[in-house]
Amino acid sequence: MSIMKTNVMKNRDFLLLLSCKFVSLTGDEIQSFALSLYVLQVTGSAAKFASVMAVAVIPRLIIGPICGVFADWFNRKKIMIILDVINGIVVSSLVLIYKINGYLGMIYIYTAVIILAVLKMFYNSAASAVVPTIVGKESLLRANSVNSTVSFIPEIIGPLISGIVVGFFGIVYIILFNSISFFLSAVIEVFIEIPKNDRKDRKFNFYQFRKDFIDGIRYIKERAILMKITICCFAMNLALNPVLYIGIRYIGKNVFKISDASIGSIQAVFTAGAVIGSIIPGLIKRKIEPSKSFAVSTNLGGILVIFVSFILVLYYNGVITNLMFMITAITILITVMVIFIIMSNVFSATVFQAEAPNEMLGRIGAVVSTACDAAIPIGQVVIGILYDYTKSYVPMFLCGVIMLSSGLYFVISQKFDHAKMCKMQNNNSNAI
């Protein structure tokens, strides 16, 4: 077994894990972008174009919590290798279908996207649970920072590579590249030394499965800090997704009347902000408390969104009339907000991994991820309706208030719990 190093960038197993993640995520992002464009080109339907991305959310909500139990039941290294091989086979079948038919029908695309989404959920549960076991809890913040950065880079380079390759060679080479990336990832994973779970691989037993799943939920409820962060993350996803994927696009198209290319460029700046936000926690030299840093980052993100709504009020009322100033100001404010929110994500992940025992990391992480995913469609529907029937600063202000409220809730509840604990200790001292 490899020795855990304080410097995660010298940890061989962690670097191999990052390599696997980068290779498979890059292939996945390239294919996802290419398939969406392919559907738009072939069908001319914006609804079908969007559905290719939306259909992947369904499995996350249905089977998300289940995946975590499997990650705790079985050897996580085997899970990752087997799933990458299956992913490679599924994607390779698309290449074969394309070669036989000369095109990809929607039924094949939907089927592949759903299968890959299911496999990705199981893979992510195992991979996330692996990180604390190979870097050690003292290096979690740095490891999560680097891990988060590696996750965002494919989102930047994926669409760029995809657009070039599809334009010159066609979609079949994109799919072929993705299948190779999965097989390559599986080969790399063979060389990673991952500490095994305390429990041996188990045969499926529905009663025990149900018990383990409920144990994961109960553990979160019994650990006050985990429950509070879960609630905060749910609230954050409720507001953050509508800001980035509905609000900015709606304001750009319907209020500022700018082009799709301009909106795309603004979104790219936000992604760059996400990369910066994932890097910063790992660069902090002095020892910090992740839970306090989570609260500060969350509150600052909410304040910035509220500030954006105030600027929009001034624009609507004619106080600010310079369109370029508005676009620049909002882009800067939202980018800084993204930096803070991604930092809060890194801090919250660190708290969860430090608080959860190794044998429960999979199911606890999956429960939290599912709760966060469930907030996304709710926020999109509610905030989307508000954008249709109110001025755009109203839903923007509401999103900011939700984000700020979640941060304040965490701060106040933490202080309340601390005061309660101090009072109990004083009472015990007096009794003695």
Side-chain angles (χ1 to χ4, degrees):
M1 185 180 295
S2 62
I3 299 173
M4 293 181 184
K5 296 182 176 67
T6 303
N7 186 348
V8 294
M9 298 312 293
K10 293 182 180 180
N11 186 317
R12 168 186 170 275
D13 296 318
F14 182 64
L15 292 178
L16 287 174
L17 182 66
L18 289 181
S19 300
C20 297
K21 186 170 186 176
F22 181 77
V23 169
S24 60
L25 276 180
T26 300
D28 206 28
E29 286 292 334
I30 291 173
Q31 177 178 287
S32 177
F33 188 81
L35 281 178
S36 299
L37 292 180
Y38 177 79
V39 171
L40 187 61
Q41 177 185 346
V42 173
T43 66
S45 169
K48 290 182 178 179
F49 165 76
S51 67
V52 173
M53 295 177 284
V55 74
V57 177
I58 300 173
R60 286 159 55 183
L61 298 178
I62 297 174
I63 68 167
I66 301 174
C67 302
V69 179
F70 279 92
D72 291 336
W73 270 22
F74 302 105
N75 184 299
R76 291 162 184 164
K77 178 177 177 178
K78 290 180 181 178
I79 292 174
M80 293 166 64
I81 294 172
I82 292 170
L83 290 179
D84 265 336
V85 171
I86 297 174
N87 274 320
I89 293 172
V90 171
V91 176
S92 296
S93 67
L94 287 178
V95 177
L96 186 61
I97 292 170
Y98 187 90
K99 285 295 185 181
I100 293 173
N101 298 334
Y103 69 97
L104 288 175
M106 289 301 299
I107 185 65
Y108 296 118
I109 293 175
Y110 283 136
T111 302
V113 168
I114 291 174
I115 292 174
L116 291 173
V118 171
L119 295 173
K120 188 175 183 179
M121 285 297 301
F122 282 97
Y123 182 93
N124 286 345
S125 293
S128 297
V130 161
V131 174
T133 66
I134 62 177
V135 302
K137 299 206 171 187
E138 70 281 354
S139 302
L140 275 178
L141 182 58
R142 171 68 171 160
N144 284 323
S145 174
V146 177
N147 191 29
S148 182
T149 302
V150 170
S151 300
F152 284 115
I153 292 176
E155 292 185 19
I156 299 176
I157 66 175
L160 177 63
I161 296 173
S162 183
I164 295 173
V165 175
V166 170
F168 283 98
F169 303 105
I171 191 171
V172 68
Y173 288 96
I174 290 288
I175 301 173
L176 180 62
F177 174 82
N178 194 27
S179 67
I180 294 172
S181 74
F182 281 121
F183 289 126
L184 178 59
S185 180
V187 172
I188 297 173
E189 283 156 358
V190 172
F191 300 98
I192 303 177
E193 295 180 17
I194 300 173
K196 295 182 179 180
N197 300 359
D198 293 334
R199 303 160 75 173
K200 295 181 179 179
D201 287 1
R202 311 174 61 172
K203 292 182 179 179
F204 184 83
N205 179 297
F206 181 77
Y207 173 78
Q208 188 62 45
F209 181 91
R210 178 175 174 273
K211 179 181 179 299
D212 282 4
F213 172 64
I214 293 174
D215 284 347
I217 298 176
R218 185 181 293 118
Y219 188 89
I220 293 175
K221 292 173 67 176
E222 290 174 352
R223 298 299 188 278
I225 190 168
L226 297 185
M227 189 63 188
K228 285 181 283 190
I229 289 183
T230 301
I231 293 171
C232 289
C233 290
F234 178 88
M236 291 294 293
N237 271 24
L238 195 70
L240 181 62
N241 194 275
V243 169
L244 294 177
Y245 297 104
I246 297 178
I248 294 301
R249 295 177 187 183
Y250 180 90
I251 293 168
K253 289 288 290 183
N254 293 27
V255 179
F256 295 158
K257 309 294 183 183
I258 59 179
S259 67
D260 292 339
S262 298
I263 296 174
S265 299
I266 292 171
Q267 295 280 171
V269 175
F270 298 159
T271 305
V275 174
I276 295 171
S278 65
I279 293 173
I280 291 175
L283 298 178
I284 299 174
K285 298 297 182 182
R286 66 185 182 87
K287 189 175 179 63
I288 60 173
E289 177 59 45
S291 59
K292 292 181 180 178
S293 301
F294 164 78
V296 172
S297 301
T298 302
N299 285 327
L300 289 174
I303 291 171
L304 287 167
V305 174
I306 292 174
F307 198 60
V308 169
S309 69
F310 288 156
I311 293 178
L312 286 169
V313 170
L314 297 177
Y315 182 77
Y316 271 98
N317 288 281
V319 178
I320 300 176
T321 57
N322 190 311
L323 182 60
M324 184 56 65
F325 171 82
M326 286 295 299
I327 294 172
T328 303
I330 290 177
T331 300
I332 293 173
L333 288 171
I334 296 296
T335 300
V336 177
M337 180 274 292
V338 169
I339 291 173
F340 282 124
I341 296 306
I342 296 303
M343 288 173 63
S344 77
N345 288 347
V346 173
F347 293 131
S348 63
T350 302
V351 172
F352 267 104
Q353 292 169 345
E355 292 286 332
N358 177 41
E359 66 274 11
M360 298 183 73
L361 278 168
R363 75 196 85 162
I364 290 174
V367 168
V368 176
S369 296
T370 303
C372 293
D373 288 338
I376 293 175
I378 298 172
Q380 287 177 331
V381 171
V382 174
I383 301 301
I385 292 173
L386 286 176
Y387 272 108
D388 283 339
Y389 293 98
T390 64
K391 300 292 186 182
S392 60
Y393 54 76
V394 174
M396 186 67 73
F397 177 77
L398 178 61
C399 287
V401 169
I402 292 173
M403 294 167 68
L404 179 59
S405 298
S406 67
L408 292 176
Y409 156 76
F410 184 82
V411 172
I412 294 171
S413 60
Q414 281 288 91
K415 288 187 176 181
F416 176 80
D417 288 347
H418 179 71
K420 186 177 179 182
M421 186 179 297
C422 291
K423 185 176 181 180
M424 289 176 62
Q425 289 175 347
N426 289 333
N427 291 338
N428 291 336
S429 299
N430 293 334
I432 294 173

